[in-house]
Amino acid sequence: ERGRGAMQLRYLKNLHPPDEGMSKVTSISWSANTTRLATVGADKIVQLFDEQGDKQDRFQTKPADKAAARAYTVKTIEFSPDGTKLAVAQSDNIVFVYKLGADWKDKKSICNKFQQTSSVTCLTWPGGHPNEVVF
């Protein structure tokens, strides 16, 4: 039957206001419980939003090598199953995992790093495997 099981999609909002120049968003990720949304762009800054799309916090990502701070891009981001960590895959051959904490203003810190031999372009953090990130 036509229309059976059809899902109604709803537009929420623009998270980033229009910009004069290039303001490329490179990745977006919802936490599994949909209470947090993260975006990252060409500026390498992770923006954190609540479930209504209101910005709550932000933090600057770090390069694998401090001497080459401008020489990387963030390829993709993914929340941990409990939403308290964020994996960040970068073009400088590293995946950092940032501890976000349970509250918006908790200190953001790197709790794991996975050095690779090439750039990681996508990753996933399966709900059934909370201690395993796959890329």
Side-chain angles (χ1 to χ4, degrees):
E1 271 177 30
R2 198 171 185 167
R4 185 176 178 175
M7 178 176 61
Q8 282 288 338
L9 286 177
R10 183 174 70 90
Y11 165 76
L12 180 62
K13 69 189 293 186
N14 278 344
L15 297 174
H16 296 279
D19 195 4
E20 287 283 327
M22 188 71 151
S23 182
K24 183 178 176 185
V25 173
T26 57
S27 187
I28 296 177
S29 180
W30 271 110
S31 62
N33 65 4
T34 68
T35 60
R36 290 180 172 190
L37 176 70
T39 69
V40 67
D43 60 2
K44 305 173 190 112
I45 296 173
V46 173
Q47 310 271 353
L48 298 169
F49 301 85
D50 63 19
E51 62 271 18
Q52 280 81 41
D54 296 323
K55 187 168 21 173
Q56 297 297 320
D57 205 357
R58 60 185 274 178
F59 65 93
Q60 178 73 49
T61 58
K62 307 288 185 213
D65 177 9
K66 287 180 178 55
R70 298 189 189 276
Y72 76 97
T73 59
V74 175
K75 295 298 196 176
T76 189
I77 56 177
E78 181 74 19
F79 276 101
S80 63
D82 67 1
T84 63
K85 296 181 182 87
L86 188 72
V88 178
Q90 301 179 182
S91 65
D92 55 353
N93 304 348
I94 198 158
V95 174
F96 285 121
V97 177
Y98 289 83
K99 180 181 177 191
L100 304 177
D103 295 321
W104 291 113
K105 296 300 177 186
D106 285 351
K107 182 176 173 17
K108 314 305 184 255
S109 61
I110 296 170
C111 60
N112 293 91
K113 49 183 148 183
F114 302 101
Q115 189 71 48
Q116 300 298 302
T117 56
S118 63
S119 178
V120 175
T121 58
C122 61
L123 58 84
T124 188
W125 203 326
H129 298 269
N131 296 321
E132 299 173 1
V133 62
V134 181
F135 43 85

